[in-house]
Amino acid sequence: MLQPIRVRDEPNQEVVIAGQVVFPRMRKNRSIMSKRKAKYAHLPIGESITQVQSMLRERLCNQRLPDKPEGTEAQHKHLLELLRRTAIHGESNSVLIVGPRGAGKTMLLKCVLRDLLEDKEAQKSLLQVHLNGLLQTDDRIALKEITRQLHLENVVGDKVFGSFAENLAFLLEALKKGDRSSSRPVLFILDEFDLFAHHKNQTLLYNLLDVSQSAQAPIAVVGITCRLDVLELLEKRVKSRFSHRQIHLLSSLTFTQYLQRVQSQLSLPQDFPDVKFAQDWNDSIKTLCEDKSAEEALRRHFNSSKDFRSLHILLMLCLSRVTVAKPVIKPADLLEASRLCFVDAKANMLHGLSILELCLIIAMKHLNDVYEGEPFNLQMVHNEFKKFLQRKSNSMYNFEQPVIMKAFEHLQQLELIRPVDGSAAKTQKEYQLMRLMLDHSQIMEALQKYPLCPTDVKQWAMSAFG
Amino acid sequence: MTSVLQHPGYDEEKLRRVTEQTPCREAQTGLLLSLMGQPQQYSYPSIFVYGHRASGKSHVMQVLLKELELPHATISCVECVSNALLFEKMLLSLFGCEAASLLPRTPSLSDFVRVYRHQCVDSPATQTRYIVMEKAELLRDADVNLLPALLRLQELVDDNLTVILLSEITWDKFRPNTGCYEPLVLHFPDYSKGDLQQILSRDSHPSYSADFYSSYINILLGVFYSVCRDLRELHHLAALNFSKFCEPLAEGKVKESDTHKLWRNIEPHLKKAMQTVYLREVSSLQWEQMQQMEEKEAGALKGLSAHTHVELPYYSKFLLIAAYLASYNPARTDKRFFLKHHGKIKKTNFLKKNEKTSNHLLGPKPFPLDRLLAVFYSVVDSRVAPSASIFSQISSLVTLQLLTQVSHDDQLDAPKYKCAVSLDFISAISRTVNFDIVKYLYDFLDPDTAASQEEWVNRGYVSRVRDHPSR
C-alpha cells in the first residue's frame, strides 16, 4: 500500500496525521482540531488519486446516483408524481418506462425512489417488490420471490392455493395492518418487463394489473423494458387492464449536450476532501473537452451511440490510465480508449492466423469473387490454393490434404467460416458447403497489418481473378 | 524489454512474480491490472477477453488472481454444463461449502442470486470478487437468460463483483436478440515469432546449454510456423522431438555448434511429424517408440487413416469401384464408358457453360441401386449371379461407412446411395485388382484435361496398365 508522505516536523511545514494534513497554525489546538476537518484540507497526491478513482469508478459502474436528473427532468417529475400518488394517497397505478439499452431507465427509477423515500410518510408505509425477468423466469418463482420480499413466508407457511390470483389476494390481504382498513401500498418493479410477457398465459402480469385496476389494494406496477413494441406482446385482456401510460427515454441529445454530459460524468463533486485538487481536476476535464482531437473522438462516439453505457466504457478505459505519475486525463488517453473501442475484432483474429490459414482465406475470397458469393467446400478451396501454388516456383506451402483439412477445421472453430444450413450429417467433411463470414475489406485490411507476410501471397490476394 | 508492473493497491513483490510468470504479456497484464484498480474499488461489471487459443488469456488471469490473492472463482463452461454445477462452483469458490449447500436441488438463477445476497449480508465484500468463465462461447448454448444475467451480475446481487469472460470467438457473435449489458471488450493479441521463440526456449533441458535448445526451437519454428501458431501444439511437438534432435550429439557424431548437421538430421523427422503426430494420426507414445527403434526397422509409420484400408472381399472392391464411378460420373455418360459400341458424347454449348466445376470438387452424387448394379456388371470381369451375397455386401459397405444411404429406411424398392471414399482410397483399391479407374472417370476424360491424366500417372495414383480387356 502506498505510504503517506512523511514530511519533517518543521514549524512552517504541513504535518501528516493519519492521512489528513493539519496546517501549522492549527497545531496549538491539535487535540480539538484533528477531530474537525480542516477548512483547506490538502491530501497527498496518492490519496487524492485513490479517492478520485473510487468515486468515479462507482459512478461509472452505476453504483452512485447523480444528485439531480440530467436531461430527464420531465420524466423524473412525471414518475415521481405518479408514485407519490400511490404511496401517500393510496391510488393504484401502472406505468411502463421504455427506452433503448443504456438510456438510463434504471438510474431514473432509482433516483425517483430515492426522492420519494425522503418523504417520511412514504418511507413508513411503502413496500417495494423488485422482480427481474432474467431471474424470475416462471410465475411460480416470481410468486415465491414476492412472498419473500414482502416478508410473508411465515404467514403463508404451508398453505396450498388453487390459483395465482388466490395467492396474490391472500398476500395483499395479509398486508392490512391492525386497525387500518386499507392495506399498505406496494410498489411492484418489473425489470425486463418484456420477458414477463413470455410466461405462460401472462398470469403474473394479468393478476398484478387486475389488482391495480380493481382497487383491492393500492399497488403501483412499474415496468422497465428496452423493447419499444412491448405493448404488442401483451395479451388483449392484459393490455386492457394496463393504463397505457408510458415514459419514453429516447435520448435526443445534441452534441453540445453530449459534451456536457461527458464533463459532468468526469467532474468531482463539491464535497471532495481536497478542494484544490478537485478544482484542478475539473479544470483539466474542461480543457480535455475543449481539445480538438478529443472532440473529434467524442463526436465519433456520439455518431455511433448516444447512450450512457458506451460512454461509461470509454470513460472507464480513460480513467484506468490515471496514475500518480500522470494525475490527469489527457487527450491522448481519450484517443487510445477510443481506438480500443472501435477496433475490428475479426481483423484482430485474422492477425493471429498461420500463413496456411491465411492462404485458405484468400482462396475463399477469390472463390467468392468468381462465383459471386455461392457457398464452397474444402475441395474447391484446396483446388484454388493449388492453382496459386502451381504458379510459384518453390513449393514451400505444398502441404498434404490432411494438414489443410486441419487448418480448415481451425477456421471453422473460430467461426470465420460457417456451414450452410442443410444436410450437415450426411455429407463428408471435405464436401460440406460453407460460407465465409468475412468481408472483402476486412481481409485486405488484415493483410496490410499481417506480420511477415510473403509478398507473393499479398500479390495473389490483390489480383482480381485467380 | 520487460517493464516493471506497478500499481498502488498491490504489493510490489507480488507484481514482480506476476511479471515473471507472464512473459511477453506485459501490456495485457498492465491493462487488466489498471482496469481492476485497487482491490476495494469497483471495477466494470463485465469484461470480455478474446484471443486465439493458447494466447495466454486463462494463464494471465490465473496468475494475476492467485499471486495477488484476490477472491475469485474460475469456471470452465465445458465442465459446468448445467446450471446447478455452475452455481455450486461459484458459491463454493467465493463463500465456502456451507453456502453451496444452501442451494436447492435444481437451482434457478433466482435461487442463486438469493443465496448470494444472503451470504453478502454475512460477509460483505472488502475486495472486488472476480468470476472468470473460460470457453464462454458455450454460454450461448445454455439457458437464454444466463448470459445476460451474468453480464449484469454486479447489479443483480448488489455487490462488488466483476465477471470476466474468456473466449476465442468475437463478441459480435454473442450478442442476444434484444441486447444486453455490453461488456468491456479486450483483445489478447497472438504471440509473434520472437515471442514464441522466447517462451519455448524457457524449458531448456538442464544437461544442454540454453543456446543449443533455442537453436532447436528455431529449427522447429522454421518447419511448423507457417502451419500452426498454437503455443500448446508447438510445445508438445518440441517436447516429443527433442530426444531425436540430441541423438547425433549423444552418439558423439557431431558437436553442439554443428548446426547444419543437426538440421539435416532433424528436418525430415519434423516433416514426418507434421503428417503424423501433428494430425494426431499417431499417438505420442507410438511416436516415441518409433524414434527409439533403428531407422531401418521402423519402416513406414502407419497412421490411423492407413487402417481404413481394410481388406475387402473381391466383389466388394468392385462394388465400391462401381459406386465411385456411379457417384462421380453423370448418368448420361454411362453409355460411353460401359457399352461396347458407344458414340461420342457431344457436349452442347449449354452444358459447357454450366459445367463450372468438376464433380470431384462438388462431391459425390446419389445414385439408385439399379444403376449401381448396372455399372457393377459391366466393370467386373467374370460372370456374377445376382445373389443375396452381393446385396448383403452392399449393406456391409454401408455399415463400414464406405457408402452412405441417402434415401429413407422405409423405401425398400428404390434405395439410393452415395460413395463416401476419396480418390486416393479408391485408386489404391483399384490398383489391387488391376483396374484403371482414371480411364473411366468423366472428369479426367475431357481432352482439355489430357494433361491431368499424365499428372495422375506422375503422382503414382495409377500405373500404366494394359487396356481393360473387353468382355
Side-chain angles (χ1 to χ4, degrees), chain A residues 326-338:
Chain A
K326 187 179 71 68
V328 288
I329 298 184
K330 294 222 163 71
D333 295 332
L334 191 62
L335 289 173
E336 177 62 26
S338 176

Side-chain angles (χ1 to χ4, degrees), chain A residues 135-289:
Chain A
L135 299 178
Q136 279 84 44
T137 45
D138 204 335
D139 287 334
R140 202 177 32 89
I141 303 175
L143 199 53
K144 270 205 271 211
E145 189 62 27
I146 296 175
T147 319
R148 204 170 287 128
Q149 290 195 20
L150 291 175
H151 305 294
L152 291 175
E153 288 125 312
N154 296 329
V155 177
V156 169
D158 287 326
K159 277 204 179 58
V160 174
F161 295 98
S163 72
F164 191 99
E166 267 182 46
N167 200 340
L168 192 59
F170 180 81
L171 289 175
L172 291 172
E173 189 67 29
L175 291 175
K176 283 195 182 161
K177 287 174 74 176
D179 57 337
R180 283 190 26 183
S181 54
S182 60
S183 43
R184 291 169 67 176
V186 186
L187 175 59
F188 284 93
I189 297 170
L190 301 173
D191 234 324
E192 313 281 344
F193 187 82
D194 47 299
L195 293 179
F196 284 106
H198 292 308
H199 291 183
K200 186 160 172 270
N201 290 339
Q202 299 183 355
T203 346
L204 175 71
L205 293 181
Y206 174 72
N207 283 297
L208 281 179
L209 292 173
D210 195 33
V211 171
S212 79
Q213 288 283 35
S214 61
Q216 284 174 34
I219 71 169
V221 180
V222 180
I224 306 177
T225 178
C226 68
R227 289 185 67 159
L228 298 178
D229 64 342
V230 61
L231 285 182
E232 319 269 321
L233 296 170
L234 297 178
E235 278 180 22
K236 203 164 83 124
R237 58 179 186 151
V238 179
K239 199 159 41 163
S240 61
R241 282 168 173 76
F242 176 55
S243 69
H244 284 79
R245 215 178 268 121
Q246 290 187 38
I247 297 179
H248 289 278
L249 280 174
L250 307 168
S251 55
S252 50
L253 289 178
T254 62
F255 184 56
T256 346
Q257 286 172 327
Y258 186 75
L259 279 180
Q260 275 172 354
R261 185 183 277 186
V262 171
Q263 217 173 321
S264 63
Q265 290 284 312
L266 286 175
S267 298
L268 293 174
Q270 301 285 6
D271 57 355
F272 193 74
D274 190 343
V275 176
K276 182 165 181 321
F277 183 84
Q279 192 62 38
D280 290 337
W281 175 271
N282 289 345
D283 289 336
S284 76
I285 297 295
K286 199 138 168 277
T287 345
L288 174 73
C289 291

Side-chain angles (χ1 to χ4, degrees), chain A residues 219-462:
Chain A
I219 71 169
V221 180
V222 180
I224 306 177
T225 178
C226 68
R227 289 185 67 159
L228 298 178
D229 64 342
V230 61
L231 285 182
E232 319 269 321
L233 296 170
L234 297 178
E235 278 180 22
K236 203 164 83 124
R237 58 179 186 151
V238 179
K239 199 159 41 163
S240 61
R241 282 168 173 76
F242 176 55
S243 69
H244 284 79
R245 215 178 268 121
Q246 290 187 38
I247 297 179
H248 289 278
L249 280 174
L250 307 168
S251 55
S252 50
L253 289 178
T254 62
F255 184 56
T256 346
Q257 286 172 327
Y258 186 75
L259 279 180
Q260 275 172 354
R261 185 183 277 186
V262 171
Q263 217 173 321
S264 63
Q265 290 284 312
L266 286 175
S267 298
L268 293 174
Q270 301 285 6
D271 57 355
F272 193 74
D274 190 343
V275 176
K276 182 165 181 321
F277 183 84
Q279 192 62 38
D280 290 337
W281 175 271
N282 289 345
D283 289 336
S284 76
I285 297 295
K286 199 138 168 277
T287 345
L288 174 73
C289 291
E290 286 163 6
D291 179 86
K292 277 279 169 250
S293 55
E295 199 181 299
E296 219 176 280
L298 286 172
R299 188 177 283 277
R300 208 166 155 216
H301 274 269
F302 173 73
N303 285 337
S304 65
S305 63
K306 296 189 217 173
D307 57 308
F308 276 104
R309 209 160 280 157
S310 45
L311 180 62
H312 283 178
I313 292 180
L314 178 69
L315 296 180
M316 189 67 152
L317 285 168
C318 292
L319 185 66
S320 63
R321 294 162 75 90
V322 169
T323 58
V324 174
K326 187 179 71 68
V328 288
I329 298 184
K330 294 222 163 71
D333 295 332
L334 191 62
L335 289 173
E336 177 62 26
S338 176
R339 191 190 64 83
L340 277 177
C341 287
F342 280 126
V343 77
D344 183 9
K346 282 194 185 151
N348 276 342
M349 295 304 280
L350 280 177
H351 187 270
L353 292 179
S354 66
I355 297 187
L356 176 61
E357 286 155 2
L358 190 69
C359 287
L360 288 181
I361 296 235
I362 297 174
M364 289 178 212
K365 172 177 111 57
H366 281 301
L367 280 175
N368 271 345
D369 288 340
V370 170
Y371 295 116
E372 279 147 25
E374 273 184 32
F376 49 78
N377 57 32
L378 172 66
Q379 285 291 109
M380 292 192 221
V381 176
H382 193 184
N383 201 33
E384 190 71 32
F385 183 46
K386 275 193 279 201
K387 278 199 245 173
F388 162 62
L389 288 178
Q390 272 164 14
R391 293 201 307 255
K392 277 163 46 98
S393 49
N394 85 337
S395 55
M396 203 171 69
Y397 302 130
N398 208 347
F399 296 113
E400 304 280 308
Q401 168 98 345
V403 176
I404 301 208
M405 183 80 212
K406 186 161 173 166
F408 199 73
E409 279 177 355
H410 184 216
L411 289 176
Q412 198 177 344
Q413 230 181 357
L414 290 174
E415 295 196 7
L416 291 173
I417 52 179
R418 264 176 64 174
V420 164
D421 311 313
S423 55
K426 296 275 184 168
T427 45
Q428 290 165 267
K429 272 194 303 197
E430 296 94 43
Y431 295 112
Q432 202 170 2
L433 289 174
M434 309 269 188
R435 272 193 208 280
L436 186 62
M437 306 305 289
L438 293 169
D439 200 15
H440 185 103
S441 53
Q442 276 174 318
I443 304 175
M444 298 316 286
E445 192 190 308
L447 263 176
Q448 301 303 324
K449 298 199 197 123
Y450 193 78
L452 308 170
C453 184
T455 28
D456 41 12
V457 171
K458 256 199 205 157
Q459 278 171 357
W460 177 40
M462 307 285 188

Side-chain angles (χ1 to χ4, degrees), chain A residues 57 134 349 406 410 450, chain B residues 34-35 52-53 145 229 278:
Chain A
R57 270 162 189 266
L134 289 173
M349 295 304 280
K406 186 161 173 166
H410 184 216
Y450 193 78
Chain B
S34 65
L35 279 172
H52 278 279
R53 272 185 299 189
N145 64 333
R229 288 198 187 174
Y278 174 64

Side-chain angles (χ1 to χ4, degrees), chain B residues 54 63 102 169 171 191 209 311 380:
Chain B
V63 165
L102 288 174
I169 314 273
W171 172 249
Y191 291 115
S209 70
E311 278 305 315
V380 89

Side-chain angles (χ1 to χ4, degrees), chain B residues 252-294:
Chain B
K253 288 188 202 157
V254 290
K255 296 194 295 291
E256 268 200 16
S257 45
D258 240 335
T259 38
H260 185 68
K261 284 209 186 114
L262 288 167
W263 178 78
R264 264 215 320 233
N265 173 45
I266 194 71
E267 210 223 358
H269 190 79
L270 287 178
K271 286 233 187 298
K272 207 178 350 165
M274 195 191 291
Q275 290 161 11
T276 48
V277 174
Y278 174 64
L279 298 173
R280 304 291 189 276
E281 292 270 322
V282 161
S283 74
S284 321
L285 186 61
Q286 271 179 293
W287 185 252
E288 282 174 349
Q289 282 168 354
M290 188 221 83
Q291 281 178 107
Q292 256 135 43
M293 295 195 302
E294 283 294 323

